[in-house]
Every structure is written in structure tokens, then in C-alpha cells.
Amino acid sequence: MAGVPGRARGGDREVWQEYDRRMKARRRARTRGSSVMTAEEDEARTRIMDGASAIDLKTWERIRTVSEHPAIPVPMIPMIPVLQLHAQDVPDLPLPEGADLLQLLWCPDDHAEPPGQPHYWGPNVEVRYRTAASVGTVADPPRPEQPKDVYLPRPCVLDPVRVVDLPAEDELPAELVGTAHAWADARAVAYRHLACLRGWKAGGRPSRHLTDLVPIDCACGARMRLLLTLDSGGDPKLTMGRSGELRVFTCPDDPTHPFRLNVQ
């Protein structure tokens, strides 16, 4: 965005300053509604701004923001591979019929609410379902010119381990909470250490360590399930959000429905 100046009309400065003095006087007097402009003040300020997004109180220029189109197009940042899972290595991986390979790619830069991802800030993600037989010669991944280093994984080989990931206590029916804790105590471990396990995982239970239990629903109305969790730190050393987790949710009825992203 670029600023386009335009000087305010004669007399507008005095009007603006007078209304500003009135507002400050109301605040000093601590009168009720001291921060609320009157209809007269609001109308005058709107007229003075006249479509501008800001006003310079020194030069009294109105500043409008307009789209700035560069003469040279900005190159697109390529998607880079982050994760690849074979169905034979992760037997419970929910894949569409005919697919036996899941690939996750992302743009190594932050994006504010990309299409279909409300309340999300982080790398734009692409999930691909393929057949392993269709993958030919593996080329070197593209190297973006100005990536965020925290989104550049170091190539490594996964050795999946199958574990039981229990739901958070808040997700348990009230009548099972005591039983769950007794079961964990009998094994000399706190229940919380068995629920919503940390780390990179396929499936399992999503933790809600930053927010309350907020359901994520598919556009079809189904409650979405956790497909993948990408955890900060560890190996590869990536950082999601404030050293948290990036989670990918998919529809339990049809994995080809649009997925949802969430960072905790």
C-alpha cells in the first residue's frame, strides 16, 4: 500500500483541534461517555477525513492508501516438501480410496488467514494424496530466495512408532474422569502425561493448551479429526507459532473435503 497526500480544507484544522480540546476536557472531568464523540463531532471528522485513512496533525495532509503495483512482478515463493508418509508405515492413516501416500508441502513464510483457513497465521499448507507408484525420480526441493529459516526442514528419515494417545480430561465424560485417573495412578503415571502426546504425530488427540475445547467442523457438518501434528523443536528443528504445534484436521467422512489448519 502507498500513501497519497491531500491537504485538508481551510478551517478544518481549527475545527479538528476544537473537538479534540472538548474530548480532552471531558476526559479530565471524567464525565460519563467521555471517550464518545457527539454526532456533530463525528460528522465533522468524517467530512475532514473525506475518505482518507489518516491525517498528519503537523502538516494537516490527508493520507489515503492505495494499492501499489510493482513494475516488476514479485516472484512466487515455491512450496517446499515437509512430510511424506506411506500407508504401509502408518497403517491407520486415513487416505482416500486408491491412495497410499500422503505428502505435506508448505510455503516457508507466514500467511494471514489463507483461503479456507480462518483465524490462522502461519505457513500456507498443501496436502496431497497420491499413489507411491506414481512418484518417479525425486528432484531436489526448490530453494526459496527469502524463506523464513524456522520453516525450512532438514531432510531426515522417519521411524514411526505406534502409541496410544488418550483424550484430554476435558474431553472425557464426567463419569469416566475418576476411572481414568485411577487407571493412570495404578501405573505410576499422571493421566495428563498419557493424553494429547507432544511431538510429530499422525492421528492421535489434539491438545488445547492455549484455548478451551473449541470444535473444528467440516463444511459438511462433520466434526473434523486430527490428521497431523507438526511440533516445534525436535528434529527437524522447525518453529510453529510461539514454539507450538501446527495441526491439520480432515473430515472423517471424506478426507478429500477441504482440510483445516490450527496452531496452538
Side-chain angles (χ1 to χ4, degrees), residues 113-118 124:
E113 296 192 335
Q117 307 299 337
N124 201 9

Side-chain angles (χ1 to χ4, degrees), residues 240-264:
M240 270 64 70
R242 297 180 178 179
S243 299
E245 302 171 342
L246 186 153
R247 291 89 70 82
V248 182
F249 291 81
T250 56
C251 178
D253 298 331
D254 188 344
T256 64
H257 286 180
F259 60 86
R260 286 283 302 278
L261 300 174
N262 175 267
V263 173
Q264 287 257 341

Side-chain angles (χ1 to χ4, degrees), residues 63-80:
I63 309 298
R64 294 183 176 89
T65 53
V66 298
S67 297
E68 185 178 89
H69 301 285
I72 301 176
V74 178
M76 294 291 290
I77 301 179
M79 303 290 276
I80 62 172

Side-chain angles (χ1 to χ4, degrees), residues 79-97:
M79 303 290 276
I80 62 172
V82 178
L83 178 67
Q84 177 171 278
L85 296 177
H86 290 265
Q88 64 185 20
D89 298 324
V90 187
D92 296 328
L93 194 65
L95 298 172
E97 184 176 355

Side-chain angles (χ1 to χ4, degrees), residues 102-114:
L102 182 148
Q103 296 175 325
L104 184 143
L105 302 88
W106 68 27
C107 171
D109 200 357
D110 286 316
H111 297 259
E113 296 192 335

Side-chain angles (χ1 to χ4, degrees), residues 165-168 171 195-197 201 203-207 226 229 245 247:
D165 194 10
L166 299 177
E171 295 186 74
C196 305
L197 300 177
K201 61 187 182 183
R205 302 285 184 166
S207 67
L226 181 64
T229 298
E245 302 171 342
R247 291 89 70 82

Side-chain angles (χ1 to χ4, degrees), residues 14 23 40 57 71 102 152 159 168 207-209 224 249:
E14 289 73 19
M23 177 73 75
E40 176 191 2
L57 298 181
L102 182 148
L152 288 179
D159 185 14
S207 67
R208 304 288 182 181
H209 50 276
M224 303 187 87
F249 291 81

